[in-house]
Amino acid sequence: MPERIVVSFRGVAALGQPESTDAVAPRPSRRGAGQAAPRTSRRGAGPHDAGATARGEESYLARALALKKRAEALGGTLCAWSAQTFSFEFTPDDIEEAVLLAALAAEDASVHPDARFAAGIAQGEMTYVGEAGRFSALSWGQPLLVAVMLARIAPPGEVLLDPALPAAAAGELMTLGAHRGVDGARRVRGLRLDAQQPLRRQVAESVARVCTPPLIGRDNELLELVLPSGSLAIVRAEAGAGGTRFLLELLRGLAPSRGLFVAPIGASREPFGALRRALARALARAAPRAPKGRARAPALPDRLMPALERLLAGHGVEPWTAAELLACWLAPSEGRVGLVAVDDAAQVDDASLDAIAIAMGMGGGIRAVVRLGRSEPLPEPLTGIDAASTLALGPLSGPSAQVLVRRLLDGCIDEAGARRWATRAPAFPLALREVICEGLESGALRWIGRSVGPRRRSAGRGRPARTMTAAELAAPPACRPIEGRLRLLAVGPRTVLTALAMLGGDAPDAAVDALCESTGAPRVSAVESALRGGGWAFRPEPGWLRLTSRTLRDVLLDAVPLDERAAWHLAAARVLEEHAGPLGLADAAWHAAQAGDRRAAAALATRAASAASDALLESSAAELLAFADEQETSRELPLDGAADGASSQPPTYRTPIEVVGETAEPPRAQSSAERPGEAALREEGGGSARRRGAAAPERDGARRSTPAPPAPATPAPATPAPATPAPATPTLTDGVRAARPSGASSDFPDPPPLDEEFTLGTSEDPLAKTSESPVLSVNDIAVRLAELAKQALVQGDLRTLERLVGELRRTGEHQDLVDRMTGLISLGRGAKEEALRRFRIAAEADAPPSQRARALLAYGVALAAVGRTEGALLKALSALARAREAQDRHGEQACARFLARLAAATGHEEAARAWMHVARLASAAPPSLTAD
């Protein structure tokens, strides 16, 4: 017995010649009158004359046959026909066709309302009782009985649904309440179908009609804003308070020479990610020869075009170069100055904010407006800029909220309705918009033509939304209606929205499609109309999709089940690794860490750090290396639980202070090519150790470690926990520790270990081990500290070196050595610009030839360490000249060795062998001959 959907119709049929039979007589009135008064229409139509009724009755058969043809065209089959009722059956998949057939018959405008068909719809198993034809199959079943009874109690022009109808129970059909009646001895109840908007998808299409009104209720805030040239303004607005719209309105209303809208992108881990996306989006909107009324792209200098290409490709540039690009983009024009608006500044990457701060300091009068949360501090890169004004965006006033509701609905709702719906949510713009959209999608609001009203009398009523407390402000007020709307959204579009939110809420179609492919979700193109029409997403530029609010992104991420978040993050990491630029791998590393894949997170972060280092982004490279080091450290530890992906903003990792040298270093893989700067760092301090002859040769592959202090005299635990090796902080001499080919062992000897134990942080005085004499002079202490500092430099022990340099600085001796060591420490910590600045100052200072040679060599080593080989070559040659001028054979040997390594690293083997020969001659020749 197949299951079918049965649609039954009841019409008004009468005898054509009533006087020809005595079986039918007029119905007597209750008071003995011969005929009852004419019945009035439910739709407000007055009593119609007998002629109109007769014409309606005469057309009953014609209208029934026309309805039969329409049903056959929609796939229906005639299953029953009686004097005043007839029924059609449809397959369960044809629910929309069955409902539309009934709705069209009930809303037939060519028929008087009192003469229209009444319909009932039910679903269940049917049994064939006659021969099935092409368009008819006589059948009987429970749904036929229910549908006929519903049609009998339904008023003319209405459709009643069986409450057990699966489509009605699932909410796919829109109803206007219930209708009850009596059919014979049985009470019958049915749901009234909304014949004008019967399907939920038709109701969802009403959301596309929601307007984008002008800025409402913020006139006072606009007047309070003071933003002179070269200044900063702070706008404090919670999520959903209209902060993004306020910034966009400022970009339009302040009429700058050119504006730039900067917002967080991705996981906010990519250096220059926000600035890169802002410039790329501005270039997509502004062509060099844009028509009148559209902003034109600035004519950048030719020298900046390669930098712009590198920045847009995700390779990054130096901070000053990025700031210069920004300053040229926002340069004054026709008496107007540029304006940059930063949305959600607390989540924008520091590199982008640094570039904005530097550009504002270059002159040109660039102005900036920064949007922050109510209690968020100003990001550190912007703290040096004076804030000209600060204003806060709070809830809208009652009248403003009502005006906003009317503008959202294009003025199609009356004052009473606007007042009712303005109280359904806290008076924040986003919350009001989402409440209106939820009302339309759920069916509480009905938008027909130019009229918007409640679908039921109780819709929109109830207790008004109370004022939120300070604790409740932590959750954006728009979250509840957004969650209600998401429950009504189909699985496919919702999965696409989740993928977009996982990528930061603003991503290219290719990346979203790649992420959806692993989940079986449809492509963006297949659901684009539903997402854009429903107000979920929009196109900020061709090929990109963006969520309408960051609150929506947070709600989507919170809705991901805990046991599925790791899989989502892992898939996002793989997609970003394929689609992102070199610096964008930082976002991929964060996703991998959230998924629990520590190894992949460390590898991706290391690659991103390498790209940041190539772009001279020292702080970003240091943070990424620290993040990679943390992942490597915790890789062996068990996870406490599933990765928490609820927070869309990753934590900020700074360079940790590691105690290097307290534990044995793990063995390192062999490296066939070392960076010239790393290999030559020993020359600054290694010579003195070799001259003293205190170093002992090491075996190949042997590892150096600082002797551990004596164990305390306390009883050991019964079951000691396994020791976890401490992480090895990246040092400047990592490449030197790697094993070298045997052929080069004679020319490149391994550096010696520390002569003596030097343990910091113990109760013993570290200076007590520097001399056998119980009384030491300041000069003796300084000499010993200098020797230990050079040995710490040879071993790459930056922590110990930093402590020793601090002690040496307090003695006031060997200031030139302190300056060079401080520069090397900065270089090892990743602060390349600071290190180069220190080395340059020391190299340019007036000093004797010997000291000048050391300063120039240190500067050359630092330049080589950051990849500037040409500058390193020039400084090393200058250092060699100063060493020969001072007849310093050890300095000459060190310069020659560094030049040999530099030549070998750049592929000049002949020059490398020649410089090694010069180094051997300098070490063998007596001091009187080195000047020649």
Side-chain angles (χ1 to χ4, degrees), residues 455-499:
R455 195 175 296 273
R456 299 182 182 89
R457 288 179 296 177
S458 61
R461 296 188 183 275
R463 179 179 299 178
R466 59 184 174 84
T467 303
M468 293 192 304
T469 63
E472 291 172 332
L473 283 174
C479 289
R480 186 199 60 79
I482 290 177
E483 292 170 354
R485 293 184 62 201
L486 286 174
R487 284 192 290 267
L488 301 174
L489 191 63
V491 176
R494 180 169 179 172
T495 307
V496 175
L497 286 179
T498 303

Short mmCIF file of all heavy atoms in Angstrom, two decimals, residues 455-499:
data_model
loop_
_atom_site.label_atom_id
_atom_site.label_comp_id
_atom_site.label_asym_id
_atom_site.label_seq_id
_atom_site.Cartn_x
_atom_site.Cartn_y
_atom_site.Cartn_z
N ARG A 455 1.72 37.30 11.65
CA ARG A 455 0.98 36.20 11.05
C ARG A 455 -0.12 35.71 12.00
O ARG A 455 -1.16 35.25 11.56
CB ARG A 455 1.95 35.06 10.71
CG ARG A 455 1.37 34.01 9.78
CD ARG A 455 2.44 33.02 9.39
NE ARG A 455 3.51 33.64 8.64
CZ ARG A 455 3.50 33.80 7.31
NH1 ARG A 455 2.46 33.40 6.61
NH2 ARG A 455 4.52 34.37 6.70
N ARG A 456 0.13 35.81 13.28
CA ARG A 456 -0.88 35.49 14.29
C ARG A 456 -1.01 36.69 15.22
O ARG A 456 -0.09 37.49 15.36
CB ARG A 456 -0.49 34.25 15.09
CG ARG A 456 -0.34 32.99 14.24
CD ARG A 456 -0.01 31.79 15.12
NE ARG A 456 0.19 30.58 14.36
CZ ARG A 456 1.35 30.19 13.84
NH1 ARG A 456 2.42 30.94 14.02
NH2 ARG A 456 1.44 29.07 13.15
N ARG A 457 -2.12 36.77 15.89
CA ARG A 457 -2.34 37.92 16.76
C ARG A 457 -1.37 37.95 17.93
O ARG A 457 -1.05 39.01 18.47
CB ARG A 457 -3.79 37.88 17.29
CG ARG A 457 -4.82 38.23 16.24
CD ARG A 457 -6.22 38.15 16.82
NE ARG A 457 -6.56 36.79 17.24
CZ ARG A 457 -7.70 36.46 17.83
NH1 ARG A 457 -8.62 37.40 18.09
NH2 ARG A 457 -7.94 35.22 18.16
N SER A 458 -0.87 36.78 18.33
CA SER A 458 0.06 36.72 19.46
C SER A 458 1.51 36.95 19.06
O SER A 458 2.38 37.05 19.93
CB SER A 458 -0.06 35.37 20.16
OG SER A 458 0.28 34.32 19.26
N ALA A 459 1.81 37.02 17.76
CA ALA A 459 3.20 37.15 17.31
C ALA A 459 3.75 38.51 17.72
O ALA A 459 3.11 39.54 17.54
CB ALA A 459 3.28 36.98 15.80
N GLY A 460 4.95 38.50 18.25
CA GLY A 460 5.61 39.73 18.64
C GLY A 460 5.16 40.28 19.97
O GLY A 460 5.66 41.33 20.40
N ARG A 461 4.24 39.62 20.64
CA ARG A 461 3.77 40.11 21.92
C ARG A 461 4.50 39.39 23.05
O ARG A 461 5.29 38.49 22.83
CB ARG A 461 2.26 39.89 22.06
CG ARG A 461 1.43 40.69 21.05
CD ARG A 461 -0.04 40.60 21.37
NE ARG A 461 -0.85 41.30 20.38
CZ ARG A 461 -1.11 42.60 20.42
NH1 ARG A 461 -0.63 43.33 21.41
NH2 ARG A 461 -1.84 43.16 19.48
N GLY A 462 4.21 39.77 24.23
CA GLY A 462 4.86 39.19 25.39
C GLY A 462 5.62 40.25 26.16
O GLY A 462 5.51 41.45 25.90
N ARG A 463 6.38 39.81 27.12
CA ARG A 463 7.13 40.74 27.96
C ARG A 463 8.25 41.38 27.14
O ARG A 463 9.02 40.69 26.49
CB ARG A 463 7.72 40.00 29.15
CG ARG A 463 8.55 40.89 30.09
CD ARG A 463 9.09 40.11 31.26
NE ARG A 463 8.02 39.54 32.06
CZ ARG A 463 8.23 38.77 33.12
NH1 ARG A 463 9.47 38.47 33.48
NH2 ARG A 463 7.21 38.27 33.79
N PRO A 464 8.36 42.70 27.17
CA PRO A 464 9.44 43.35 26.42
C PRO A 464 10.80 42.93 26.95
O PRO A 464 10.95 42.52 28.10
CB PRO A 464 9.19 44.84 26.66
CG PRO A 464 7.76 44.93 27.09
CD PRO A 464 7.47 43.66 27.82
N ALA A 465 11.79 43.00 26.06
CA ALA A 465 13.15 42.64 26.47
C ALA A 465 13.65 43.61 27.52
O ALA A 465 13.57 44.82 27.36
CB ALA A 465 14.08 42.66 25.25
N ARG A 466 14.17 43.07 28.62
CA ARG A 466 14.62 43.93 29.70
C ARG A 466 16.02 44.46 29.40
O ARG A 466 16.73 43.96 28.52
CB ARG A 466 14.65 43.14 31.01
CG ARG A 466 15.55 41.90 30.95
CD ARG A 466 15.46 41.11 32.24
NE ARG A 466 16.20 39.87 32.16
CZ ARG A 466 17.49 39.76 32.38
NH1 ARG A 466 18.18 40.84 32.68
NH2 ARG A 466 18.10 38.60 32.30
N THR A 467 16.41 45.46 30.15
CA THR A 467 17.74 46.03 29.99
C THR A 467 18.80 45.03 30.44
O THR A 467 18.68 44.43 31.50
CB THR A 467 17.85 47.32 30.80
OG1 THR A 467 16.82 48.21 30.39
CG2 THR A 467 19.21 47.97 30.58
N MET A 468 19.83 44.87 29.64
CA MET A 468 20.86 43.89 29.96
C MET A 468 21.75 44.38 31.09
O MET A 468 22.02 45.58 31.20
CB MET A 468 21.70 43.59 28.73
CG MET A 468 20.97 42.89 27.63
SD MET A 468 22.10 42.29 26.37
CE MET A 468 22.94 43.79 25.92
N THR A 469 22.19 43.47 31.92
CA THR A 469 23.14 43.78 32.98
C THR A 469 24.55 43.79 32.41
O THR A 469 24.79 43.43 31.25
CB THR A 469 23.04 42.75 34.10
OG1 THR A 469 23.40 41.47 33.59
CG2 THR A 469 21.61 42.69 34.64
N ALA A 470 25.49 44.21 33.25
CA ALA A 470 26.88 44.27 32.79
C ALA A 470 27.41 42.89 32.45
O ALA A 470 28.18 42.73 31.50
CB ALA A 470 27.74 44.92 33.88
N ALA A 471 26.98 41.87 33.20
CA ALA A 471 27.44 40.51 32.90
C ALA A 471 26.88 40.01 31.59
O ALA A 471 27.55 39.28 30.84
CB ALA A 471 27.05 39.57 34.04
N GLU A 472 25.65 40.39 31.27
CA GLU A 472 25.03 39.92 30.04
C GLU A 472 25.60 40.62 28.81
O GLU A 472 25.44 40.12 27.69
CB GLU A 472 23.52 40.13 30.10
CG GLU A 472 22.83 39.23 31.11
CD GLU A 472 21.37 39.58 31.29
OE1 GLU A 472 21.03 40.77 31.10
OE2 GLU A 472 20.58 38.69 31.60
N LEU A 473 26.23 41.75 29.00
CA LEU A 473 26.82 42.44 27.85
C LEU A 473 27.97 41.66 27.25
O LEU A 473 28.38 41.93 26.12
CB LEU A 473 27.30 43.83 28.26
CG LEU A 473 26.21 44.90 28.42
CD1 LEU A 473 26.81 46.18 28.97
CD2 LEU A 473 25.52 45.15 27.10
N ALA A 474 28.52 40.70 28.01
CA ALA A 474 29.62 39.90 27.47
C ALA A 474 29.17 39.08 26.27
O ALA A 474 29.95 38.80 25.37
CB ALA A 474 30.19 38.98 28.56
N ALA A 475 27.91 38.67 26.24
CA ALA A 475 27.36 37.95 25.10
C ALA A 475 26.60 38.94 24.23
O ALA A 475 25.69 39.62 24.71
CB ALA A 475 26.43 36.84 25.57
N PRO A 476 26.96 39.08 22.97
CA PRO A 476 26.28 40.05 22.11
C PRO A 476 24.78 39.78 22.08
O PRO A 476 24.34 38.62 22.03
CB PRO A 476 26.93 39.81 20.74
CG PRO A 476 28.26 39.21 21.05
CD PRO A 476 28.05 38.39 22.29
N PRO A 477 23.95 40.82 22.12
CA PRO A 477 22.50 40.62 22.16
C PRO A 477 21.94 39.99 20.90
O PRO A 477 20.82 39.49 20.91
CB PRO A 477 21.95 42.04 22.37
CG PRO A 477 23.03 42.94 21.88
CD PRO A 477 24.32 42.24 22.17
N ALA A 478 22.68 40.02 19.80
CA ALA A 478 22.18 39.43 18.56
C ALA A 478 22.38 37.93 18.50
O ALA A 478 21.92 37.30 17.53
CB ALA A 478 22.86 40.09 17.36
N CYS A 479 23.03 37.33 19.48
CA CYS A 479 23.32 35.89 19.41
C CYS A 479 22.04 35.06 19.40
O CYS A 479 21.91 34.11 18.63
CB CYS A 479 24.21 35.48 20.57
SG CYS A 479 25.92 36.08 20.44
N ARG A 480 21.08 35.41 20.28
CA ARG A 480 19.88 34.57 20.38
C ARG A 480 19.09 34.54 19.08
O ARG A 480 18.74 33.46 18.60
CB ARG A 480 19.00 35.07 21.53
CG ARG A 480 17.81 34.17 21.81
CD ARG A 480 16.74 34.90 22.58
NE ARG A 480 16.25 36.07 21.87
CZ ARG A 480 15.37 36.01 20.87
NH1 ARG A 480 14.91 34.85 20.45
NH2 ARG A 480 14.98 37.11 20.27
N PRO A 481 18.75 35.68 18.46
CA PRO A 481 18.03 35.56 17.18
C PRO A 481 18.84 34.91 16.07
O PRO A 481 18.28 34.24 15.21
CB PRO A 481 17.69 37.02 16.85
CG PRO A 481 18.60 37.86 17.65
CD PRO A 481 18.89 37.09 18.89
N ILE A 482 20.17 35.08 16.09
CA ILE A 482 20.99 34.40 15.08
C ILE A 482 20.91 32.90 15.26
O ILE A 482 20.79 32.14 14.28
CB ILE A 482 22.45 34.90 15.14
CG1 ILE A 482 22.55 36.35 14.65
CG2 ILE A 482 23.37 34.01 14.31
CD1 ILE A 482 23.93 36.95 14.75
N GLU A 483 20.99 32.44 16.49
CA GLU A 483 20.87 31.00 16.75
C GLU A 483 19.50 30.48 16.31
O GLU A 483 19.40 29.37 15.75
CB GLU A 483 21.07 30.73 18.23
CG GLU A 483 22.50 30.98 18.70
CD GLU A 483 22.62 30.93 20.21
OE1 GLU A 483 21.56 30.82 20.88
OE2 GLU A 483 23.74 31.02 20.73
N GLY A 484 18.45 31.26 16.53
CA GLY A 484 17.13 30.84 16.07
C GLY A 484 17.04 30.75 14.57
O GLY A 484 16.41 29.83 14.02
N ARG A 485 17.67 31.68 13.86
CA ARG A 485 17.67 31.63 12.40
C ARG A 485 18.47 30.44 11.87
O ARG A 485 18.09 29.82 10.88
CB ARG A 485 18.23 32.93 11.84
CG ARG A 485 17.41 34.17 12.09
CD ARG A 485 18.03 35.36 11.39
NE ARG A 485 18.07 35.15 9.95
CZ ARG A 485 18.90 35.80 9.13
NH1 ARG A 485 19.78 36.67 9.61
NH2 ARG A 485 18.88 35.58 7.84
N LEU A 486 19.58 30.15 12.53
CA LEU A 486 20.41 29.03 12.06
C LEU A 486 19.68 27.70 12.19
O LEU A 486 19.91 26.79 11.40
CB LEU A 486 21.72 28.99 12.84
CG LEU A 486 22.75 30.07 12.49
CD1 LEU A 486 23.94 30.00 13.44
CD2 LEU A 486 23.21 29.94 11.05
N ARG A 487 18.81 27.59 13.17
CA ARG A 487 18.05 26.34 13.31
C ARG A 487 17.09 26.12 12.14
O ARG A 487 16.71 24.98 11.86
CB ARG A 487 17.29 26.35 14.63
CG ARG A 487 18.15 26.10 15.84
CD ARG A 487 17.31 25.82 17.07
NE ARG A 487 16.61 27.03 17.51
CZ ARG A 487 17.09 27.87 18.42
NH1 ARG A 487 18.27 27.65 18.97
NH2 ARG A 487 16.40 28.93 18.79
N LEU A 488 16.69 27.19 11.48
CA LEU A 488 15.79 27.09 10.34
C LEU A 488 16.53 26.93 9.01
O LEU A 488 15.89 26.72 7.98
CB LEU A 488 14.88 28.33 10.26
CG LEU A 488 14.00 28.58 11.49
CD1 LEU A 488 13.28 29.91 11.33
CD2 LEU A 488 13.02 27.45 11.69
N LEU A 489 17.84 27.06 9.02
CA LEU A 489 18.63 27.01 7.79
C LEU A 489 18.94 25.56 7.43
O LEU A 489 19.17 24.71 8.30
CB LEU A 489 19.93 27.80 7.97
CG LEU A 489 20.77 28.07 6.72
CD1 LEU A 489 19.99 28.93 5.73
CD2 LEU A 489 22.08 28.77 7.09
N ALA A 490 18.94 25.28 6.14
CA ALA A 490 19.24 23.93 5.67
C ALA A 490 20.68 23.55 5.99
O ALA A 490 21.55 24.40 6.22
CB ALA A 490 18.98 23.83 4.16
N VAL A 491 20.94 22.24 5.98
CA VAL A 491 22.25 21.73 6.38
C VAL A 491 23.34 22.20 5.42
O VAL A 491 24.43 22.62 5.85
CB VAL A 491 22.23 20.20 6.46
CG1 VAL A 491 23.62 19.66 6.77
CG2 VAL A 491 21.23 19.74 7.52
N GLY A 492 23.08 22.17 4.10
CA GLY A 492 24.11 22.55 3.13
C GLY A 492 24.57 23.98 3.29
O GLY A 492 25.78 24.24 3.47
N PRO A 493 23.67 24.96 3.23
CA PRO A 493 24.12 26.35 3.42
C PRO A 493 24.76 26.59 4.78
O PRO A 493 25.72 27.36 4.89
CB PRO A 493 22.83 27.16 3.25
CG PRO A 493 21.95 26.30 2.42
CD PRO A 493 22.26 24.90 2.81
N ARG A 494 24.26 25.93 5.81
CA ARG A 494 24.85 26.15 7.12
C ARG A 494 26.27 25.60 7.19
O ARG A 494 27.14 26.19 7.82
CB ARG A 494 23.98 25.48 8.19
CG ARG A 494 24.52 25.65 9.59
CD ARG A 494 23.54 25.23 10.65
NE ARG A 494 24.09 25.39 11.98
CZ ARG A 494 23.41 25.26 13.10
NH1 ARG A 494 22.13 24.96 13.04
NH2 ARG A 494 23.99 25.41 14.27
N THR A 495 26.53 24.47 6.54
CA THR A 495 27.90 23.94 6.52
C THR A 495 28.84 24.87 5.79
O THR A 495 29.99 25.06 6.20
CB THR A 495 27.90 22.55 5.87
OG1 THR A 495 26.95 21.71 6.52
CG2 THR A 495 29.27 21.92 5.97
N VAL A 496 28.37 25.48 4.71
CA VAL A 496 29.20 26.45 3.99
C VAL A 496 29.50 27.65 4.89
O VAL A 496 30.63 28.17 4.91
CB VAL A 496 28.51 26.88 2.69
CG1 VAL A 496 29.30 27.98 2.00
CG2 VAL A 496 28.35 25.69 1.75
N LEU A 497 28.50 28.10 5.64
CA LEU A 497 28.73 29.21 6.57
C LEU A 497 29.75 28.83 7.64
O LEU A 497 30.60 29.64 8.02
CB LEU A 497 27.41 29.62 7.22
CG LEU A 497 26.41 30.39 6.37
CD1 LEU A 497 25.15 30.68 7.16
CD2 LEU A 497 27.01 31.69 5.86
N THR A 498 29.68 27.60 8.13
CA THR A 498 30.64 27.14 9.13
C THR A 498 32.05 27.12 8.56
O THR A 498 33.02 27.51 9.23
CB THR A 498 30.25 25.75 9.66
OG1 THR A 498 28.92 25.81 10.19
CG2 THR A 498 31.20 25.29 10.74
N ALA A 499 32.19 26.65 7.33
CA ALA A 499 33.51 26.65 6.69
C ALA A 499 34.04 28.07 6.53
O ALA A 499 35.22 28.34 6.77
CB ALA A 499 33.42 25.95 5.33
#
